[in-house]
């Protein structure tokens, strides 16, 4: 193991934010191009889970000619086992607000929205207070930027960026066809940057300390730190900021209860890693030279030997069956078939080979589903069924 | 402007315009990619995922209908990946579809059935998902039957109802496995804002939405010796029927249709076109009376513009959506209902029949006509004026059931008394036709001269543009119409309810100052009606329209007031247009309805 595989704590996100006015005025004194370059050289990737390079996203949207553009902060945090965005918004809201305004400045947007998960209504009073204070300051320094909160209504799919736009537009929350991408055709058809809460918190760090400080954290292709929502069979559940690139072995060493059987990386839409693969699995984005690299929105669920992997999968599939928007065939019908399928195999109504048909189905879903939801159901299904096939049958 | 995009599909190079989808590019070079949720009339949904293709260098497959071509794309429409995925998607759709094909009304004309046949889905491994729960088939509407167990959630009906019709009676509710197409508060379709136009039926790929059929009832009536069964056929049927029976779109089959109806055993085969001509007499008179009331008497109560009332889908729509404008509708019944009322009075008397023994059947390109015939006020003959309404499709089914070789059928003529018609009546089947027919007659009535258009063809009101406007200046009128001298008659024609909405809104805001508007609920007018052969597309409707206008051109009489049977009925029975008897039998009233 190289050194970079080890677990390293970091502490940027939740560090005090009293200097936001300073970061704000410092950023506004720079040109949009400088700020984009700063972000690009930091190699920050989207922390919602998909990992799209943030600097590139801002750059693409800045380059589109248009009078009206939007900045949207995706705070729909719906992935099972993820609870970091909630903490960011309650602990350091000004970092997020500042980054939204800077983004507005960079791309030429005057309006920002926070799409807040419906269940997070209790954050509203504090968040609104922060927003009015922030907007007051914007006026003082002659920055024309307003932020409004849009409450979600509880659908998981509305965390998908284009479904989120549809939801904000008062329509049914269903993903759109891509292309066009949000940088061209986002909220109300206007060029839009949509970033996860944590991504925006990291851009604050980058604008405050410079790209290098951030870039020096983590490993190649997976730069910087990231918040992890640790839950499941662990003596210390909670939110931890860690450098990217650590091996799962080290992670389990730190957070496991000594009996960890498997870790679900990335929530219900992520991958299950069995104990035998802890060593070779690193947490970060694809593209590493050695071993397997798993991206994550930050959800890390640990399971010990008392857990039935069948029940875990059953639970995930229940979730997807209900939370698929129902629009596209592979996801709507596929999720139902997977759930009914494993039940039928468990009950002996279908032969065990039926699991192979279901695995082929997940391949199809990965290839053909319209959005990330349907495409990623395959992740947990195939990683659980392939590694714990006997638990599915007996 | 933008330069062309070069790409290759299955190794064949093709150049396309910027913005062309992979699906269209492939069609250009003769590669057909199967589709389900795609329809030429509708916006792209990209949700069935049947049209997936492989794009070299991309991890996932792309939906051909929704993906624009890009420079140097390398596309494969039949790679193993594509075939496996496509087949599995069809299997998935079949698993949630009530695939009891032999007992389905759409058996033989179902896009899912065709796909499953093409891809030979011989073994259904997946677990059956239908019925999802206790569901009931919604059979309460006289026009439309909705069976959710056959729905594959392609949302074509939802897009039709929204984009073509602006009605939004059908919508998507719930998510995940519960996701379904339903109505406001899941009420039965007859109790919501639905106009019963049937466009959802025309656009449904499966049997989830079909017309309520009355085929058995009509067979029963025909075989009942105590009944005298008469039939009327709408103008648009004769340019659509052929498509169901082996002809290409745009084939006129008037004579064969009449022959077939006679062979089916109807006692008299007559023509809705006759009452279309009659409608022109009544409606034209009504328009002139309204103009007189407005221009001479300065009556503040008079409602202008006057709107046509031939399309029952449009009537139901305005009753729901613009009830405060019901006074603008012409009080004339539609030709179907005029025919019905006369069949059991005028015809019965002339043929010396007891009206109680008459069964009046109509063949319509329309499902809203079923609703219309069912309206409680349509009993002016003392009986139900029209007993059964069949769509063009249902007639085709009867012809097939009777074993008639339609292609070889000799032409026959409509029966007398209510079977004569003019070119003006035929064009009722196309958008703008009623307007054109009305102008031909009204202008001549007022001025004593032909309309000032070459060969009577009022081209500004023809064509497939959503809203057409025309104006006609009246000069040197006859003495009794002197008040119209110099008046510029302003007209508008709209088809598809989404365009009707635009016209109505422009009237509401006062932006427009029309005198006369023609509105047809369906795209293209009746020829694109909800009861016409499936499939439909802009191209097919254009061909049907060409056939309609060809039929008009080929007729000797092309103005409604020249119809000898119309002249005769006024002489023998009705006395005068707008007269007392006309009022009783040929005019009606409307009902405001809820807007949900």
């Amino acid at each position: 193991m190289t050194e970079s595989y080890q677990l390293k704590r970091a502490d940027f996100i939740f560090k005090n934010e009293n200097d936001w006015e300073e970061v704000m005025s410092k950023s506004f004194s720079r040109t949009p191009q400088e700020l984009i370059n700063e972000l690009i050289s930091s190699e920050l990737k989207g922390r919602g889970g998909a990992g799209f390079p943030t600097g590139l996203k801002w750059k693409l949207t800045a380059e589109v000619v248009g009078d009206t553009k939007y900045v949207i902060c995706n705070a729909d945090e719906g992935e099972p086992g993820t609870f970091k965005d909630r903490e960011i918004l309650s602990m350091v809201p000004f970092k997020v607000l500042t980054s939204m305004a800077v983004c507005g400045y960079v791309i030429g947007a005057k309006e920002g929205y926070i799409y807040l998960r419906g269940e997070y209504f209790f954050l509203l009073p504090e968040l609104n207070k922060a927003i009015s204070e922030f907007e007051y300051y914007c006026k003082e320094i002659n920055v024309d930027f307003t932020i409004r909160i849009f409450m979600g209504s509880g659908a998981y799919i509305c965390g998908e960026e284009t479904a989120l736009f549809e939801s904000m537009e008062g329509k049914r929350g269903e993903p759109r066809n891509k292309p066009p991408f949000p940088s061209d055709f986002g909220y109300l058809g206007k060029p839009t940057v949509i970033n996860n809460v944590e991504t925006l918190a990291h851009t604050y760090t980058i604008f405050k300390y410079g790209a290098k400080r951030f870039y020096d954290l983590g490993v190649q292709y997976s730069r910087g730190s990231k918040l992890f929502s640790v839950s499941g069979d662990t003596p210390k559940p909670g939110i931890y900021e860690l450098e990217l690139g650590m091996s799962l072995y080290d992670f389990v060493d730190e957070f496991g209860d000594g009996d960890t059987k498997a870790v679900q990386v990335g929530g219900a839409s992520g991958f299950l890693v069995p104990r035998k693969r802890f060593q070779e699995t690193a947490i970060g984005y694809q593209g590493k030279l050695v071993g397997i690299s798993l991206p994550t929105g930050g959800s890390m669920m640990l399971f010990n030997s008392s857990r039935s992997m069948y029940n875990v999968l059953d639970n995930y599939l229940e979730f997807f069956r209900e939370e698929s928007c129902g629009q596209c065939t592979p996801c709507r019908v596929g999720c139902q078939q997977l759930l009914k399928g494993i039940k039928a195999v468990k009950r002996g109504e279908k032969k065990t080979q039926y699991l192979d048909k279901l695995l082929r189905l997940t391949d199809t879903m990965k290839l053909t589903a319209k959005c990330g939801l349907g495409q990623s159901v395959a992740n947990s299904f195939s990683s659980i069924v392939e590694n714990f096939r006997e638990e599915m049958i007996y | 402007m933008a330069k062309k995009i070069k790409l290759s599909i299955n190794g064949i190079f093709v150049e396309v315009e910027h913005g062309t989808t992979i699906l269209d590019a492939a069609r250009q070079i003769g590669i057909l990619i199967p589709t389900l949720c795609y329809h030429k009339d509708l916006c792209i949904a990209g949700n069935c995922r049947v049209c997936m293709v492989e794009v070299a260098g991309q991890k996932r497959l792309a939906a051909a209908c929704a993906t624009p071509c890009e420079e140097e794309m390398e596309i494969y429409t039949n790679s193993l990946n594509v075939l496996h995925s496509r087949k599995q998607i069809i299997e998935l759709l079949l698993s949630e579809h009530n695939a009891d094909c032999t007992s389905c009304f759409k058996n033989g004309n179902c896009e899912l059935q065709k796909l499953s046949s093409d891809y030979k889905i011989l073994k259904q491994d997946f677990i059956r998902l239908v019925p999802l729960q206790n569901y009931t088939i919604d059979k309460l509407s006289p026009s439309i039957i909705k069976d959710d167990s056959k729905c594959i959630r392609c949302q074509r009906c939802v897009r039709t109802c929204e984009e073509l019709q602006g009605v939004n009676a059908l919508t998507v509710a719930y998510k995940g496995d519960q996701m379904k197409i339903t109505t406001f508060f899941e009420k039965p379709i007859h109790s919501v804002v639905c106009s019963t136009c049937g466009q959802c039926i025309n656009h449904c790929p499966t049997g989830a939405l079909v017309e309520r059929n009355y085929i058995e009832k009509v067979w029963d009536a025909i075989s009942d010796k105590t009944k005298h069964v008469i039939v009327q056929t709408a103008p648009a049927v004769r340019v659509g029927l052929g498509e169901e029976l082996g002809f290409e779109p745009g084939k006129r089959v008037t004579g064969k249709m009449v022959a077939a109806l006679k062979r089916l055993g109807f006692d008299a085969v007559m023509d809705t076109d006759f009452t279309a001509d009659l409608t022109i007499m009544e409606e034209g008179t009504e328009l002139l009376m309204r103009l007189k009331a407005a221009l001479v008497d300065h009556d503040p109560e008079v409602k202008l513009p006057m709107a046509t009332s031939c399309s029952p889908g449009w009537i139901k729509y305005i009753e729901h959506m613009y009830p405060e404008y019901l006074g603008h509708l012409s009080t004339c019944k539609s030709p179907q209902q005029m025919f019905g009322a006369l069949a059991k009075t005028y015809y019965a008397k002339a043929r010396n029949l007891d009206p109680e023994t008459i069964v009046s059947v109509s063949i319509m390109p329309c499902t809203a006509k079923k609703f219309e015939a069912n309206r409680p006020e349509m009993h002016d003959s003392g009986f139900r004026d029209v007993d059964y309404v069949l769509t063009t499709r249902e007639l085709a089914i009867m012809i097939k059931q009777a074993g008639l070789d339609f292609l070889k059928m000799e032409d026959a003529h409509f029966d007398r008394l209510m079977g004569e018609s003019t070119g003006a009546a035929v064009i009722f089947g196309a958008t703008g036709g009623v307007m054109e027919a009305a102008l031909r007659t009204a202008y001549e009535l007022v001025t004593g001269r032909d309309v000032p258009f070459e060969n009577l063809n009022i081209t500004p009101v023809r064509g497939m543009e959503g809203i057409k406007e025309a104006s006609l200046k009246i000069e040197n009128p006859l003495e009794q119409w002197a008040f119209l001298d110099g008046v510029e008659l302003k007209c508008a024609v709209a088809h598809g309810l989404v365009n009707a909405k635009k016209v109505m809104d422009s009237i509401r805001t006062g932006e427009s100052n029309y005198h006369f508007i023609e509105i047809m609920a369906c795209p293209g007018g009746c020829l694109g009606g909800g009861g016409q052969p499936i499939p439909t597309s802009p191209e097919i409707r254009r061909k049907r329209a060409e056939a309609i206008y060809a039929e008009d051109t080929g007729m000797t009489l092309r103005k409604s007031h020249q119809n000898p049977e119309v002249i005769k009925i006024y002489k023998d029975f009705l006395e005068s247009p707008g007269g007392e008897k006309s009022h009783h039998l040929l005019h009606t009233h409307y009902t405001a309805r809820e807007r949900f």
Side-chain angles (χ1 to χ4, degrees):
Chain A
M1 287 301 115
T2 59
E3 203 191 343
S4 56
Y5 274 72
Q6 283 166 11
L7 198 79
K8 287 183 192 161
R9 300 284 280 267
D11 183 19
F12 289 98
I13 300 258
F14 293 116
K15 226 182 187 156
N16 83 57
E17 53 167 357
N18 296 338
D19 50 3
W20 63 270
E21 295 179 358
E22 200 182 300
V23 173
M24 180 101 172
S25 54
K26 187 177 138 199
S27 303
F28 274 82
S29 69
R30 307 172 72 186
T31 66
Q33 196 51 53
E34 277 171 29
L35 293 164
I36 288 174
N37 290 342
E38 190 85 59
L39 269 189
I40 290 176
S41 51
S42 75
E43 290 190 13
L44 169 64
K45 291 178 183 173
R47 293 302 197 234
F52 190 82
T54 308
L56 181 60
K57 192 183 265 189
W58 288 25
K59 181 170 182 265
L60 289 173
T61 317
E63 282 168 355
V64 179
V65 182
D67 294 339
T68 313
K69 296 182 186 179
Y70 297 102
V71 180
I72 292 174
C73 167
N74 186 347
D76 194 46
E77 192 165 51
E79 190 62 49
T82 319
F83 36 85
K84 62 190 176 68
D85 294 343
R86 182 186 69 201
E87 283 308 291
I88 297 174
L89 287 175
S90 51
M91 309 285 279
V92 289
F94 284 99
K95 290 193 176 180
V96 177
L97 303 181
T98 304
S99 291
M100 287 176 74
V102 173
C103 177
Y105 166 64
V106 167
I107 65 165
K110 294 185 171 59
E111 283 175 64
Y113 288 90
I114 297 173
Y115 189 97
L116 190 62
R117 176 182 166 137
E119 291 88 339
Y120 288 174
F121 57 88
F122 57 88
L123 294 177
L124 271 177
E126 286 299 311
L127 208 48
N128 275 324
K129 231 166 79 185
I131 289 174
S132 26
E133 191 182 330
F134 181 77
E135 286 183 340
Y136 183 80
Y137 177 73
C138 284
K139 277 203 193 86
E140 264 189 355
I141 60 165
N142 280 326
V143 168
D144 183 9
F145 194 75
T146 57
I147 295 177
R148 261 164 281 177
I149 297 175
F150 188 97
M151 291 304 292
S153 301
Y156 171 72
I157 189 60
C158 290
E160 198 280 341
E161 52 191 20
T162 56
L164 184 150
F165 298 146
E166 293 283 301
S167 159
M168 284 181 69
E169 291 172 10
K171 299 182 212 145
R172 209 179 132 77
E174 285 182 348
R176 298 174 181 167
N177 290 304
K178 287 189 243 182
F181 295 96
S183 53
D184 285 315
F185 191 92
Y187 175 50
L188 299 175
K190 303 292 181 197
T192 304
V193 161
I194 174 161
N195 279 141
N196 173 259
V197 176
E198 188 190 340
T199 311
L200 289 166
H202 284 297
T203 63
Y204 183 92
T205 307
I206 292 161
F207 293 140
K208 181 174 170 183
Y209 296 107
K212 177 143 192 340
R213 186 83 179 264
F214 183 86
Y215 181 86
D216 286 346
L217 306 176
V219 297
Q220 198 187 3
Y221 301 122
S222 298
R223 295 293 173 186
S225 59
K226 159 121 200 58
L227 290 185
F228 288 88
S229 311
V230 181
S231 65
D233 297 318
T234 166
K236 36 185 177 182
I239 297 164
Y240 299 89
E241 186 172 348
L242 305 170
E243 286 188 34
L244 283 174
M246 78 259 188
S247 82
L248 199 53
Y249 183 87
D250 290 336
F251 177 87
V252 171
D253 198 34
E254 174 74 21
F255 294 102
D257 61 358
D259 183 26
T260 306
K261 170 181 173 182
V263 180
Q264 178 79 14
V265 181
S269 66
F271 295 83
L272 184 102
V273 186
R275 186 187 292 146
K276 63 180 179 206
R277 299 214 185 279
F278 287 170
Q279 279 282 5
E280 64 197 73
T281 306
I283 304 303
Y285 299 99
Q286 301 292 328
K288 273 187 59 70
L289 301 171
V290 249
I292 312 159
S293 225
L294 289 183
T296 169
S299 166
M300 303 292 276
M301 274 185 263
L302 293 91
F303 299 110
N304 67 19
S305 59
S306 72
R307 306 291 167 186
S308 149
M309 285 300 138
Y310 172 83
N311 286 346
V312 169
L313 181 58
D314 183 87
N315 180 276
Y316 290 161
L317 292 173
E318 280 284 355
F319 175 80
F320 285 126
R321 182 194 60 169
E322 196 177 314
E323 291 299 340
S324 160
C325 76
Q327 179 187 191
C328 80
T329 312
C331 182
R332 176 186 68 248
V333 192
C335 290
Q336 295 177 65
Q337 289 295 352
L338 293 178
L339 178 64
K340 285 195 193 295
I342 62 161
K343 284 184 195 293
V345 170
K346 192 77 170 177
R347 284 198 293 259
E349 291 162 6
K350 287 271 185 192
K351 291 188 182 142
T352 57
Q353 291 92 311
Y354 190 65
L355 288 174
D356 301 320
K357 177 159 178 122
L358 295 180
L359 284 169
R360 284 197 298 278
L361 171 58
T362 59
D363 287 342
T364 300
M365 290 169 73
K366 201 183 281 182
L367 285 171
T368 61
K370 189 166 179 176
C371 79
L373 195 166
Q375 291 158 6
S376 60
V377 174
N379 299 348
S380 50
F381 188 90
S382 49
S383 57
I384 292 175
V385 170
E386 275 162 11
N387 289 305
F388 294 94
R389 192 177 171 102
E390 69 290 351
E391 289 194 34
M392 300 300 117
I393 301 164
Y394 303 110
Chain B
M1 38 168 275
K3 72 180 175 81
K4 289 203 165 185
I5 292 171
K6 282 184 208 146
L7 68 156
S8 79
I9 304 175
N10 298 348
I12 303 167
F13 286 92
V14 58
E15 254 192 13
V16 295
E17 300 289 338
H18 187 85
T20 309
T21 61
I22 295 175
L23 183 70
D24 289 336
R27 283 182 184 181
Q28 279 181 27
I29 51 172
I31 297 172
L32 301 179
I33 301 169
T35 56
L36 259 185
C37 68
Y38 172 85
H39 196 288
K40 275 193 176 145
D41 282 340
L42 306 172
C43 80
I44 301 294
N47 59 27
C48 74
R49 316 308 275 178
V50 167
C51 69
M52 303 308 285
V53 296
E54 193 162 330
V55 182
Q58 287 184 13
K59 227 171 23 182
R60 300 196 180 88
L61 302 182
C65 71
T67 310
C69 293
E70 282 168 31
E71 192 63 37
E72 293 190 356
M73 257 184 177
E74 204 181 300
I75 292 158
Y76 297 92
T77 67
N78 291 316
S79 69
L80 213 49
N81 246 347
V82 169
L83 289 176
H84 282 165
S85 300
R86 193 175 287 155
K87 194 164 174 179
Q88 209 156 34
I89 284 176
I90 299 167
E91 270 185 79
L92 287 176
L93 285 168
L94 287 169
S95 80
E96 69 166 358
H97 173 78
N98 178 0
D100 190 1
C101 295
T102 51
S103 62
C104 179
F105 190 68
K106 284 287 281 294
N107 188 7
N109 189 8
C110 167
E111 292 177 41
L112 183 61
Q113 190 184 42
K114 179 168 186 309
L115 271 179
S116 92
S117 160
D118 288 353
Y119 284 81
K120 292 289 165 257
I121 313 290
L122 302 176
K123 198 169 82 176
Q124 250 295 359
D125 280 349
F126 282 129
I127 295 167
R128 311 284 311 147
L129 300 174
V130 278
L132 277 172
Q133 57 237 94
N134 292 336
Y135 74 95
T136 42
I137 300 174
D138 180 0
K139 292 178 180 169
L140 293 173
S141 161
S143 303
I144 299 170
I145 292 177
K146 179 167 171 282
D147 181 350
D148 288 347
S149 74
K150 291 174 183 163
C151 175
I152 54 165
R153 288 121 175 119
C154 66
Q155 302 189 31
R156 263 159 53 165
C157 57
V158 175
R159 283 176 283 149
T160 301
C161 205
E162 180 184 339
E163 293 165 25
L164 295 182
Q165 302 299 64
V167 172
N168 293 298
L170 291 172
T171 183
V172 183
Y174 308 107
K175 61 183 173 25
D177 58 332
Q178 302 292 314
M179 184 267 208
K180 65 190 291 195
I181 313 302
T182 185
T183 53
F184 180 75
F185 269 77
E186 300 196 52
K187 285 170 170 293
I189 216 162
H190 78 289
S191 63
V192 297
V193 72
C194 169
S195 73
T196 69
C197 71
Q199 285 301 316
C200 53
I201 298 174
N202 268 12
H203 291 84
C204 179
T206 69
L209 286 157
V210 295
E211 65 264 48
R212 178 149 160 191
N213 87 75
Y214 297 88
I215 296 173
E216 300 293 327
K217 303 256 190 206
V218 173
W219 278 130
D220 286 350
I222 288 175
S223 62
D224 186 341
K225 290 285 169 272
T226 66
K227 299 290 184 194
H228 182 84
V229 189
I230 61 168
V231 64
Q232 53 167 319
T233 62
V237 176
R238 63 206 68 186
V239 297
L241 182 65
E243 291 166 37
E244 290 276 342
L245 297 164
F247 286 108
E248 285 297 303
K251 173 76 181 171
R252 289 182 277 150
V253 295
T254 319
K256 288 185 193 301
M257 172 184 75
V258 174
L261 285 165
K262 290 186 171 172
R263 294 270 293 276
L264 289 179
F266 287 102
D267 295 303
V269 180
M270 292 182 290
D271 202 354
T272 316
D273 285 16
F274 162 73
T275 36
D277 280 330
L278 201 58
T279 300
I280 290 301
M281 301 306 290
E282 294 291 326
E283 204 164 277
T285 309
E286 187 184 356
L287 175 66
L288 293 172
M289 287 303 132
R290 287 198 193 202
L291 288 172
K292 182 163 184 280
L295 299 171
V296 180
D297 311 335
H298 301 288
D299 179 357
E301 294 295 306
V302 71
K303 302 277 193 254
L304 284 174
M306 187 177 90
T308 58
S309 56
C310 307
S311 166
W314 151 239
I315 297 297
K316 189 153 186 277
Y317 175 80
I318 189 174
E319 287 178 333
H320 283 291
M321 306 298 274
Y322 298 90
E324 67 277 26
Y325 283 88
L326 292 181
H328 288 254
L329 284 176
S330 160
T331 59
C332 290
K333 286 181 184 172
S334 72
Q336 164 179 279
Q337 293 306 134
M338 285 195 183
F339 189 101
L342 292 173
K344 295 191 181 179
T345 53
Y346 174 63
Y347 175 81
K349 206 168 138 198
R351 291 280 182 270
N352 208 9
L353 290 164
D354 176 1
E356 204 169 341
T357 64
I358 295 180
V359 176
S360 173
V361 177
S362 71
I363 314 294
M364 292 285 144
C366 184
T367 52
K369 291 280 177 197
K370 292 174 189 269
F371 168 83
E372 185 186 37
N374 204 40
R375 291 176 77 115
E377 63 270 26
M378 296 301 178
H379 284 75
D380 288 332
S381 62
F383 305 89
R384 179 166 153 151
D385 294 338
V386 175
D387 293 288
Y388 304 115
V389 180
L390 303 182
T391 59
T392 309
R393 298 186 290 262
E394 288 169 80
L395 173 59
I397 291 169
M398 288 185 73
I399 291 173
K400 287 179 197 162
Q401 288 175 347
L404 303 180
D405 188 345
F406 194 73
L407 297 175
K408 290 189 187 146
M409 200 73 65
E410 295 283 338
D411 285 359
H413 292 289
F414 286 108
D415 290 317
R416 296 292 90 192
L417 201 63
M418 288 161 65
E420 185 73 69
S421 66
T422 69
V426 170
I427 57 174
F428 264 57
T431 166
V434 179
M435 177 65 66
E436 181 165 348
L439 292 180
R440 283 182 194 172
T441 289
Y443 191 87
E444 190 173 325
L445 204 64
V446 169
T447 65
R449 304 185 303 272
D450 274 346
V451 278
F453 289 91
E454 197 185 337
N455 208 9
L456 297 177
N457 295 337
I458 309 181
T459 44
V461 297
R462 296 187 180 184
M464 291 298 171
E465 211 178 308
I467 297 171
K468 291 161 283 187
E469 289 181 325
S471 63
L472 186 56
K473 195 165 184 179
I474 297 171
E475 281 165 330
N476 301 323
L478 299 174
E479 206 182 307
Q480 78 253 45
W481 302 106
F483 65 91
L484 286 173
D485 196 9
V487 168
E488 189 153 337
L489 197 61
K490 289 201 163 75
C491 309
V493 173
H495 58 117
L497 291 173
V498 76
N499 295 314
K501 183 177 191 315
K502 287 179 200 156
V503 169
M504 289 311 291
D505 287 342
S506 80
I507 292 168
R508 178 180 270 167
T509 58
E511 278 165 56
S512 60
N513 55 345
Y514 306 122
H515 297 104
F516 188 32
I517 56 175
E518 179 212 290
I519 295 183
M520 293 293 158
C522 291
C526 304
L527 58 88
Q532 287 285 67
I534 300 171
T536 180
S537 71
E539 176 66 12
I540 290 174
R541 292 194 292 271
R542 197 180 51 71
K543 286 185 178 160
R544 290 178 191 159
E546 278 169 12
I548 287 237
Y549 287 113
E551 184 102 350
D552 167 38
T553 315
M555 293 184 85
T556 358
L557 302 177
R558 295 183 58 212
K559 292 177 281 194
S560 295
H561 54 277
Q562 295 172 323
N563 184 331
E565 286 182 357
V566 167
I567 296 167
K568 181 176 156 62
I569 196 173
Y570 279 116
K571 190 164 129 276
D572 295 353
F573 185 69
L574 292 171
E575 290 156 18
S576 67
E580 201 191 320
K581 213 160 199 171
S582 290
H583 251 279
H584 173 57
L585 289 175
L586 307 184
H587 290 255
T588 185
H589 58 271
Y590 306 102
T591 319
R593 295 172 197 271
E594 297 283 356
R595 198 175 172 167
F596 55 74

